[in-house]
Amino acid sequence: MALQLYHDTGTTAANLVAEITALRTQRQAVILAHNYEYGEIQDLADYVGDSLGMAQYAAQTAAPVLVVCGVHFMAETAAILSPEKTVLIPDPEAGCSLAASIDAEQLRAWKAEHPGAVVVSYVNTSAEVKAESDYCCTSGNAERVIRAIPEDRQILFLPDMFLGSYLRQQTGRAMEIWAGECHVHAAIRPTMVEQQRSAHPKAEFLIHPECGCVSSTMHYLATGKISADGTHILSTEGMIRHAAASNASQFVIATEIGVLHRMRKANPEKEFLPIDESISCKYMKLITLEKVRNSLRDLTHVVSVEPALAARARGAIERMIAL
């Protein structure tokens, strides 16, 4: 059952959706929603996807108003790519623990310790950090980005240490890795993997490379403690594609629980189980129907990036999209 999210007890979900639909038309707006948002937010969005897909859609749409249902760096990315558009975020407090793990001053100091290194920043970073980076990436294209860098160049990867560790093992590239983490993915522990594997031995196990248990999962795979059959380390979009194509009827999903809504909606005949019900991002869940309605009605809260900073950050983002 969907959670009741509305402070105005006289307003039903159906009424809020109707208001949002009318306001969207009035404002000529599009609504972008991340996979981790509540199901009712995903259902009314013009686009649902990961950070890369949201960035691409924001850049390509002709709509003058973008409502970004996600966290703040996603709205910043949209503003960087589309400076002529009005970019709104329904709740300005929707931050990101991973993005907060490094700032531009820390990155500049790290670069000074490794002159000439290529800086690859996960998209979960502030505009200031992107401006100091050579490439951005998502979990979906991070390996492609790393492999595109000449082998004689040193790589600084930030800020997700779990994704960095996974990429180092997958590509064999020597990399310096920033010790940052997402509080949600870091909460996924090896014991959760073991418990769910034991409880659902026939289910396929889909895990995000940012998860804190990825390194141990790879170890379990190598030593045979976890069967390689049915275990897949995938980006969010990779998970969704795999679930649709697989003949399996049951899946255990090791990432933020919001993505299960999209999987269940696309594959109603299949069963999708969370690795643990607690794996939920409190920042993503700040976005509600009421706040989306208010944002469109009042044109709040506008997210913009200073033009010179945006120009520097745009290069790293455009290299990500090109790859």
Side-chain angles (χ1 to χ4, degrees):
M1 180 181 295
L3 294 175
Q4 294 300 310
L5 307 175
Y6 320 114
H7 303 300
D8 181 356
T9 56
T11 304
T12 67
N15 287 342
L16 282 167
V17 170
E19 288 185 63
I20 290 167
T21 300
L23 286 164
R24 172 167 39 193
T25 301
Q26 178 185 335
R27 299 294 191 191
Q28 301 179 57
V30 297
I31 298 173
L32 315 178
H34 192 269
N35 292 308
Y36 297 168
E37 292 296 334
Y38 282 116
E40 53 262 49
I41 300 295
Q42 296 185 36
D43 288 344
L44 63 80
D46 297 284
Y47 177 85
V48 180
D50 64 5
S51 301
L52 175 59
M54 291 173 72
Q56 291 172 320
Y57 193 95
Q60 292 166 4
T61 182
V65 177
L66 308 176
V67 183
V68 178
C69 297
V71 294
H72 194 267
F73 80 82
M74 297 175 185
E76 271 194 337
T77 302
I80 289 167
L81 292 175
S82 304
E84 76 285 1
K85 298 170 186 172
T86 299
V87 178
L88 308 175
I89 188 166
D91 192 323
E93 297 302 314
C96 173
S97 59
L98 181 58
S101 69
I102 186 169
D103 60 29
E105 184 177 351
Q106 290 172 310
L107 177 52
R108 284 191 289 268
W110 199 31
K111 287 167 64 174
E113 295 171 2
H114 303 277
V118 177
V119 178
V120 180
S121 294
Y122 189 46
V123 72
N124 294 46
T125 47
S126 67
E128 289 85 356
V129 168
K130 288 182 176 71
E132 295 290 337
S133 305
D134 297 298
Y135 288 92
C136 282
C137 71
T138 69
S139 58
N141 68 4
E143 187 172 337
R144 199 174 312 136
V145 170
I146 296 300
R147 293 189 186 278
I149 298 170
E151 293 194 7
D152 62 345
R153 298 293 300 278
Q154 185 181 31
I155 297 173
L156 303 183
F157 184 87
L158 63 105
D160 194 310
M161 61 183 177
F162 299 116
L163 180 57
S165 174
Y166 172 74
L167 291 168
R168 185 159 54 190
Q169 293 183 60
Q170 287 296 102
T171 65
R173 292 294 298 271
M175 292 190 287
E176 297 294 323
I177 300 171
W178 188 261
E181 64 181 24
C182 162
H183 74 285
V184 178
H185 289 122
I188 300 177
R189 309 311 307 162
T191 53
M192 294 180 183
V193 178
E194 294 168 345
Q195 289 167 359
Q196 290 286 22
R197 264 307 198 186
S198 176
H200 307 285
K202 294 183 179 180
E204 286 200 333
F205 183 79
L206 310 185
I207 183 171
H208 223 285
E210 293 96 319
C211 295
C213 57
V214 166
S215 296
S216 57
T217 298
M218 295 177 77
H219 171 71
Y220 293 156
L221 287 168
T223 59
K225 292 182 179 179
I226 292 179
S227 171
D229 293 334
T231 301
H232 306 276
I233 299 174
L234 300 165
S235 67
T236 305
E237 294 300 320
M239 287 181 176
I240 291 167
R241 288 191 297 269
H242 179 87
S246 174
N247 292 324
S249 60
Q250 188 180 62
F251 302 82
V252 175
I253 309 302
T255 191
E256 211 275 352
I257 60 174
V259 75
L260 274 74
H261 176 79
R262 186 174 166 197
M263 290 179 168
R264 289 165 177 160
K265 188 175 179 179
N267 306 277
E269 76 287 0
K270 299 178 181 180
E271 183 180 15
F272 297 91
L273 305 169
I275 188 72
D276 192 276
E277 289 286 355
S278 67
I279 306 304
S280 176
C281 177
K282 64 180 181 180
Y283 299 111
M284 289 284 186
K285 301 304 189 283
L286 288 175
I287 308 299
T288 66
L289 290 177
E290 187 178 47
K291 291 176 182 177
V292 174
R293 186 272 313 273
N294 295 347
S295 184
L296 274 168
R297 183 190 62 199
D298 305 329
L299 289 180
T300 53
H301 303 269
V302 176
V303 176
S304 60
V305 179
E306 191 273 323
L309 178 65
R312 293 174 58 211
R314 191 174 299 118
I317 297 169
E318 289 177 343
R319 293 184 198 105
M320 169 184 75
I321 292 174
L323 286 171

Coordinates of all heavy atoms in Angstrom, one line a residue, residues 249-311:
S249 N 11.5 -16.0 -12.3 CA 10.3 -15.5 -11.8 C 10.4 -14.7 -10.5 O 9.5 -14.0 -10.1 CB 9.3 -16.6 -11.7 OG 9.8 -17.5 -10.7
Q250 N 11.6 -14.8 -9.9 CA 11.8 -14.2 -8.6 C 13.2 -13.5 -8.6 O 14.2 -14.1 -9.0 CB 11.7 -15.2 -7.5 CG 11.7 -14.6 -6.1 CD 11.6 -15.6 -5.0 OE1 12.4 -16.5 -4.9 NE2 10.5 -15.6 -4.2
F251 N 13.3 -12.3 -8.0 CA 14.5 -11.6 -8.0 C 14.7 -10.9 -6.6 O 13.7 -10.4 -6.0 CB 14.5 -10.4 -9.0 CG 14.3 -10.9 -10.4 CD1 13.1 -11.2 -10.9 CD2 15.4 -11.1 -11.3 CE1 12.9 -11.6 -12.2 CE2 15.2 -11.5 -12.6 CZ 14.0 -11.8 -13.0
V252 N 15.9 -10.9 -6.1 CA 16.3 -10.2 -4.9 C 17.1 -9.0 -5.4 O 18.1 -9.1 -6.1 CB 17.1 -11.0 -3.9 CG1 17.5 -10.1 -2.7 CG2 16.2 -12.2 -3.4
I253 N 16.6 -7.8 -5.0 CA 17.2 -6.5 -5.5 C 18.0 -5.8 -4.4 O 17.4 -5.4 -3.4 CB 16.1 -5.6 -6.0 CG1 15.2 -6.3 -7.0 CG2 16.8 -4.4 -6.7 CD1 15.9 -6.9 -8.2
A254 N 19.3 -5.7 -4.6 CA 20.2 -5.0 -3.6 C 20.5 -3.6 -4.0 O 21.6 -3.3 -4.6 CB 21.4 -5.9 -3.4
T255 N 19.6 -2.7 -3.8 CA 19.8 -1.3 -4.0 C 18.6 -0.6 -3.3 O 17.8 -1.3 -2.7 CB 19.9 -0.9 -5.5 OG1 20.4 0.4 -5.6 CG2 18.6 -1.1 -6.3
E256 N 18.5 0.7 -3.5 CA 17.4 1.5 -2.9 C 16.0 0.9 -3.3 O 15.8 0.6 -4.5 CB 17.6 2.9 -3.3 CG 17.1 3.9 -2.2 CD 15.6 4.2 -2.3 OE1 14.9 3.8 -3.3 OE2 15.1 4.9 -1.4
I257 N 15.1 0.8 -2.4 CA 13.9 0.1 -2.6 C 12.9 0.8 -3.6 O 12.1 0.1 -4.2 CB 13.1 -0.1 -1.3 CG1 12.7 1.2 -0.6 CG2 13.9 -1.0 -0.3 CD1 11.8 1.0 0.6
G258 N 13.2 2.1 -3.9 CA 12.3 2.7 -4.9 C 12.3 2.1 -6.2 O 11.3 2.1 -6.9
V259 N 13.4 1.5 -6.6 CA 13.5 0.9 -8.0 C 12.5 -0.3 -8.1 O 12.2 -0.7 -9.3 CB 14.9 0.5 -8.3 CG1 15.4 -0.8 -7.6 CG2 15.1 0.3 -9.8
L260 N 12.1 -0.9 -7.0 CA 11.3 -2.1 -7.2 C 9.9 -1.7 -7.8 O 9.3 -2.5 -8.5 CB 11.0 -2.7 -5.8 CG 12.1 -3.8 -5.4 CD1 13.4 -3.1 -5.0 CD2 11.6 -4.6 -4.2
H261 N 9.5 -0.5 -7.6 CA 8.2 0.0 -8.1 C 8.2 -0.1 -9.7 O 7.3 -0.7 -10.3 CB 7.9 1.4 -7.7 CG 6.6 2.0 -8.4 ND1 5.4 1.7 -7.9 CD2 6.5 2.8 -9.4 CE1 4.5 2.3 -8.6 NE2 5.1 3.0 -9.6
R262 N 9.3 0.4 -10.2 CA 9.4 0.4 -11.7 C 9.5 -1.1 -12.2 O 8.9 -1.4 -13.3 CB 10.6 1.2 -12.1 CG 10.8 1.4 -13.6 CD 11.9 2.3 -13.9 NE 12.3 2.3 -15.3 CZ 13.4 2.7 -15.8 NH1 14.3 3.3 -15.0 NH2 13.7 2.6 -17.1
M263 N 10.3 -1.9 -11.5 CA 10.4 -3.3 -11.9 C 9.1 -4.0 -11.9 O 8.7 -4.8 -12.8 CB 11.5 -4.0 -11.0 CG 12.9 -3.5 -11.2 SD 14.0 -4.4 -10.1 CE 15.6 -3.9 -10.8
R264 N 8.4 -3.9 -10.8 CA 7.1 -4.5 -10.6 C 6.1 -4.1 -11.6 O 5.3 -4.8 -12.2 CB 6.5 -4.3 -9.2 CG 7.3 -5.0 -8.1 CD 7.0 -4.5 -6.7 NE 7.7 -5.3 -5.7 CZ 7.9 -4.8 -4.5 NH1 7.5 -3.6 -4.1 NH2 8.6 -5.6 -3.6
K265 N 6.1 -2.8 -11.9 CA 5.2 -2.2 -12.9 C 5.4 -2.8 -14.3 O 4.5 -3.0 -15.1 CB 5.3 -0.7 -12.9 CG 4.3 0.1 -13.7 CD 4.4 1.6 -13.5 CE 3.4 2.4 -14.3 NZ 3.6 3.8 -14.1
A266 N 6.7 -2.9 -14.6 CA 7.1 -3.4 -16.0 C 7.0 -4.9 -16.1 O 6.8 -5.4 -17.2 CB 8.5 -3.0 -16.3
N267 N 7.0 -5.6 -15.0 CA 7.0 -7.1 -15.0 C 6.0 -7.6 -13.9 O 6.4 -8.2 -12.9 CB 8.4 -7.6 -14.7 CG 9.5 -7.1 -15.6 OD1 9.6 -7.5 -16.7 ND2 10.1 -6.0 -15.1
P268 N 4.7 -7.4 -14.1 CA 3.7 -7.8 -13.1 C 3.7 -9.3 -12.8 O 3.2 -9.7 -11.7 CB 2.4 -7.2 -13.7 CG 2.6 -7.2 -15.1 CD 4.1 -6.8 -15.3
E269 N 4.1 -10.1 -13.7 CA 4.1 -11.5 -13.5 C 5.3 -12.1 -12.7 O 5.3 -13.2 -12.4 CB 4.1 -12.2 -14.9 CG 5.4 -12.3 -15.6 CD 5.8 -11.0 -16.3 OE1 5.1 -10.0 -16.1 OE2 6.9 -11.0 -16.9
K270 N 6.2 -11.2 -12.4 CA 7.4 -11.6 -11.6 C 7.4 -11.0 -10.2 O 6.8 -10.0 -10.0 CB 8.7 -11.1 -12.4 CG 8.8 -11.8 -13.8 CD 10.0 -11.3 -14.6 CE 10.0 -11.9 -16.0 NZ 11.2 -11.5 -16.8
E271 N 8.2 -11.6 -9.3 CA 8.3 -11.2 -7.9 C 9.6 -10.5 -7.7 O 10.7 -11.1 -8.0 CB 8.1 -12.4 -7.0 CG 8.1 -12.0 -5.5 CD 7.9 -13.2 -4.6 OE1 8.1 -14.3 -5.0 OE2 7.6 -12.9 -3.4
F272 N 9.6 -9.3 -7.1 CA 10.8 -8.6 -6.8 C 10.8 -8.3 -5.3 O 9.9 -7.7 -4.7 CB 10.8 -7.3 -7.6 CG 10.9 -7.5 -9.0 CD1 9.7 -7.5 -9.8 CD2 12.1 -7.6 -9.7 CE1 9.7 -7.7 -11.1 CE2 12.1 -7.9 -11.1 CZ 11.0 -7.9 -11.8
L273 N 11.9 -8.8 -4.6 CA 12.1 -8.7 -3.2 C 13.2 -7.7 -2.9 O 14.3 -7.8 -3.5 CB 12.3 -10.1 -2.6 CG 11.3 -11.2 -2.9 CD1 11.9 -12.5 -2.5 CD2 10.0 -10.9 -2.3
P274 N 13.1 -6.8 -1.9 CA 14.2 -6.0 -1.5 C 15.2 -6.8 -0.7 O 14.8 -7.7 0.0 CB 13.5 -4.9 -0.7 CG 12.3 -5.6 -0.1 CD 11.9 -6.6 -1.1
I275 N 16.5 -6.4 -0.8 CA 17.5 -7.0 0.1 C 17.1 -6.8 1.5 O 17.4 -7.7 2.4 CB 18.9 -6.5 -0.3 CG1 20.0 -7.3 0.4 CG2 19.0 -5.0 0.0 CD1 20.2 -8.7 -0.1
D276 N 16.5 -5.6 1.8 CA 16.0 -5.3 3.1 C 15.2 -4.1 3.0 O 15.5 -3.1 2.3 CB 17.2 -5.0 4.1 CG 16.8 -5.0 5.5 OD1 16.3 -3.9 6.0 OD2 16.9 -6.0 6.2
E277 N 14.0 -4.1 3.7 CA 13.1 -3.0 3.6 C 13.7 -1.6 4.1 O 13.2 -0.6 3.8 CB 11.8 -3.3 4.4 CG 11.0 -4.4 3.7 CD 10.2 -3.9 2.5 OE1 10.3 -2.7 2.2 OE2 9.5 -4.7 1.9
S278 N 14.8 -1.7 4.9 CA 15.3 -0.5 5.4 C 16.2 0.3 4.4 O 16.6 1.4 4.7 CB 16.2 -0.8 6.6 OG 17.4 -1.6 6.2
I279 N 16.5 -0.3 3.3 CA 17.4 0.3 2.3 C 16.6 1.4 1.5 O 16.2 1.2 0.4 CB 18.0 -0.7 1.4 CG1 18.7 -1.8 2.2 CG2 19.0 0.0 0.4 CD1 19.7 -1.3 3.2
S280 N 16.4 2.5 2.1 CA 15.6 3.6 1.6 C 16.3 5.0 1.8 O 16.8 5.2 2.9 CB 14.2 3.7 2.2 OG 13.5 4.7 1.8
C281 N 16.4 5.8 0.8 CA 17.0 7.1 0.9 C 16.1 8.1 1.4 O 15.1 8.5 0.8 CB 17.5 7.5 -0.5 SG 18.3 9.2 -0.5
K282 N 16.4 8.7 2.6 CA 15.5 9.6 3.2 C 15.4 10.9 2.4 O 14.4 11.7 2.5 CB 16.0 9.9 4.6 CG 17.3 10.6 4.7 CD 17.7 10.8 6.2 CE 19.1 11.5 6.3 NZ 19.5 11.7 7.7
Y283 N 16.5 11.2 1.7 CA 16.5 12.5 0.9 C 15.6 12.3 -0.3 O 14.8 13.3 -0.7 CB 17.9 12.8 0.4 CG 18.9 13.0 1.6 CD1 19.9 12.2 1.9 CD2 18.7 14.2 2.4 CE1 20.7 12.4 2.9 CE2 19.6 14.4 3.5 CZ 20.6 13.5 3.7 OH 21.4 13.7 4.8
M284 N 15.6 11.2 -1.0 CA 14.7 11.0 -2.2 C 13.3 11.0 -1.7 O 12.4 11.6 -2.4 CB 15.0 9.6 -2.8 CG 16.3 9.6 -3.6 SD 16.2 10.4 -5.2 CE 17.8 10.0 -5.9
K285 N 13.0 10.5 -0.5 CA 11.7 10.4 -0.1 C 11.1 11.7 0.5 O 10.0 11.8 1.0 CB 11.6 9.3 1.0 CG 12.0 7.9 0.5 CD 11.2 7.5 -0.7 CE 11.5 6.0 -1.1 NZ 12.8 5.8 -1.8
L286 N 11.9 12.8 0.5 CA 11.4 14.1 0.8 C 10.5 14.6 -0.3 O 9.7 15.5 0.0 CB 12.6 15.1 1.0 CG 13.4 14.9 2.3 CD1 14.6 15.9 2.2 CD2 12.6 15.1 3.5
I287 N 10.6 14.1 -1.5 CA 9.8 14.6 -2.6 C 8.4 13.9 -2.5 O 8.3 12.7 -2.5 CB 10.4 14.3 -3.9 CG1 11.9 14.8 -4.0 CG2 9.6 14.9 -5.1 CD1 12.0 16.3 -3.8
T288 N 7.3 14.7 -2.4 CA 6.0 14.2 -2.3 C 5.1 14.9 -3.4 O 5.5 15.9 -4.0 CB 5.4 14.5 -0.9 OG1 5.2 15.9 -0.8 CG2 6.2 14.0 0.2
L289 N 3.9 14.3 -3.6 CA 3.0 14.9 -4.6 C 2.6 16.3 -4.2 O 2.6 17.2 -5.0 CB 1.7 14.1 -4.6 CG 1.8 12.7 -5.3 CD1 0.5 12.0 -5.2 CD2 2.3 12.8 -6.7
E290 N 2.4 16.6 -2.9 CA 2.1 17.9 -2.5 C 3.2 18.9 -2.8 O 2.9 20.0 -3.3 CB 1.8 17.9 -1.0 CG 1.3 19.2 -0.4 CD 1.0 19.1 1.1 OE1 1.9 18.6 1.8 OE2 -0.1 19.6 1.5
K291 N 4.4 18.5 -2.6 CA 5.6 19.4 -2.9 C 5.8 19.6 -4.4 O 6.1 20.7 -4.8 CB 6.9 18.8 -2.3 CG 6.8 18.9 -0.7 CD 8.1 18.2 -0.1 CE 8.0 18.3 1.4 NZ 9.2 17.6 2.0
V292 N 5.5 18.6 -5.2 CA 5.5 18.7 -6.6 C 4.5 19.7 -7.1 O 4.7 20.6 -7.9 CB 5.4 17.4 -7.4 CG1 5.3 17.6 -8.9 CG2 6.5 16.4 -7.0
R293 N 3.3 19.6 -6.5 CA 2.2 20.6 -6.8 C 2.6 22.0 -6.5 O 2.4 22.9 -7.3 CB 0.9 20.1 -6.1 CG -0.4 20.9 -6.4 CD -0.5 22.2 -5.5 NE -0.3 22.0 -4.1 CZ -1.3 21.6 -3.3 NH1 -2.5 21.3 -3.7 NH2 -1.0 21.5 -2.0
N294 N 3.1 22.1 -5.3 CA 3.5 23.5 -4.8 C 4.6 24.1 -5.7 O 4.6 25.3 -6.0 CB 4.0 23.4 -3.4 CG 2.9 23.0 -2.4 OD1 1.7 23.0 -2.8 ND2 3.2 22.7 -1.2
S295 N 5.6 23.2 -6.1 CA 6.7 23.7 -6.9 C 6.2 24.2 -8.2 O 6.6 25.3 -8.7 CB 7.7 22.5 -7.1 OG 8.8 23.0 -7.8
L296 N 5.3 23.5 -8.9 CA 4.7 23.9 -10.1 C 3.8 25.2 -10.0 O 3.9 26.1 -10.8 CB 3.9 22.8 -10.8 CG 4.7 21.8 -11.6 CD1 3.9 20.6 -11.9 CD2 5.2 22.4 -12.9
R297 N 3.1 25.2 -8.9 CA 2.1 26.3 -8.7 C 2.9 27.6 -8.4 O 2.5 28.6 -9.0 CB 1.2 25.9 -7.5 CG 0.1 27.0 -7.2 CD -0.6 26.7 -5.9 NE 0.4 26.7 -4.8 CZ 0.2 26.1 -3.6 NH1 -1.0 25.5 -3.4 NH2 1.1 26.2 -2.6
D298 N 3.9 27.5 -7.6 CA 4.6 28.7 -7.1 C 6.0 28.9 -7.8 O 6.6 29.9 -7.5 CB 4.8 28.6 -5.6 CG 3.5 28.4 -4.8 OD1 2.5 28.8 -5.3 OD2 3.6 27.7 -3.8
L299 N 6.3 28.0 -8.7 CA 7.6 28.0 -9.4 C 8.8 28.1 -8.3 O 9.7 28.9 -8.4 CB 7.7 29.2 -10.3 CG 6.9 29.1 -11.6 CD1 7.1 30.3 -12.5 CD2 7.2 27.8 -12.4
T300 N 8.7 27.2 -7.4 CA 9.7 27.1 -6.4 C 10.2 25.6 -6.4 O 9.4 24.7 -6.8 CB 9.2 27.4 -5.0 OG1 8.0 26.6 -4.7 CG2 8.8 28.8 -4.8
H301 N 11.3 25.3 -6.0 CA 12.5 26.1 -5.6 C 13.4 26.1 -6.8 O 13.8 25.0 -7.3 CB 13.1 25.6 -4.4 CG 12.2 25.5 -3.2 ND1 12.0 26.5 -2.3 CD2 11.3 24.5 -2.9 CE1 11.1 26.1 -1.4 NE2 10.7 24.9 -1.7
V302 N 13.8 27.3 -7.3 CA 14.6 27.3 -8.5 C 16.1 27.0 -8.2 O 16.7 27.4 -7.2 CB 14.6 28.8 -9.1 CG1 15.5 28.9 -10.4 CG2 13.1 29.1 -9.5
V303 N 16.7 26.1 -9.1 CA 18.1 25.8 -9.0 C 18.8 26.3 -10.2 O 18.4 26.1 -11.3 CB 18.2 24.2 -8.9 CG1 19.7 23.8 -8.9 CG2 17.5 23.7 -7.7
S304 N 19.9 27.1 -9.9 CA 20.7 27.6 -11.0 C 22.1 27.5 -10.6 O 22.5 27.3 -9.5 CB 20.3 29.1 -11.2 OG 20.5 29.9 -10.1
V305 N 23.0 27.6 -11.6 CA 24.4 27.5 -11.4 C 25.1 28.7 -12.1 O 24.8 29.0 -13.3 CB 25.0 26.2 -12.0 CG1 26.5 26.1 -11.8 CG2 24.3 25.0 -11.4
E306 N 26.0 29.3 -11.4 CA 26.7 30.5 -12.0 C 27.3 30.2 -13.3 O 27.9 29.1 -13.5 CB 27.7 31.0 -11.0 CG 28.4 32.3 -11.2 CD 29.5 32.2 -12.2 OE1 30.3 31.2 -12.1 OE2 29.7 33.1 -13.0
P307 N 27.1 31.0 -14.4 CA 27.5 30.7 -15.7 C 28.9 30.2 -15.9 O 29.2 29.2 -16.6 CB 27.2 32.0 -16.5 CG 26.1 32.6 -15.8 CD 26.4 32.3 -14.3
A308 N 29.9 30.9 -15.3 CA 31.3 30.5 -15.5 C 31.6 29.1 -14.9 O 32.3 28.2 -15.4 CB 32.2 31.5 -14.8
L309 N 31.0 28.8 -13.7 CA 31.1 27.5 -13.1 C 30.4 26.5 -13.9 O 30.9 25.4 -14.1 CB 30.5 27.6 -11.7 CG 30.5 26.2 -10.9 CD1 31.9 25.8 -10.6 CD2 29.7 26.4 -9.6
A310 N 29.2 26.8 -14.4 CA 28.5 25.8 -15.3 C 29.3 25.5 -16.5 O 29.3 24.3 -16.9 CB 27.1 26.4 -15.6
A311 N 29.9 26.4 -17.1 CA 30.7 26.2 -18.3 C 31.8 25.2 -18.0 O 32.1 24.3 -18.9 CB 31.2 27.5 -18.9

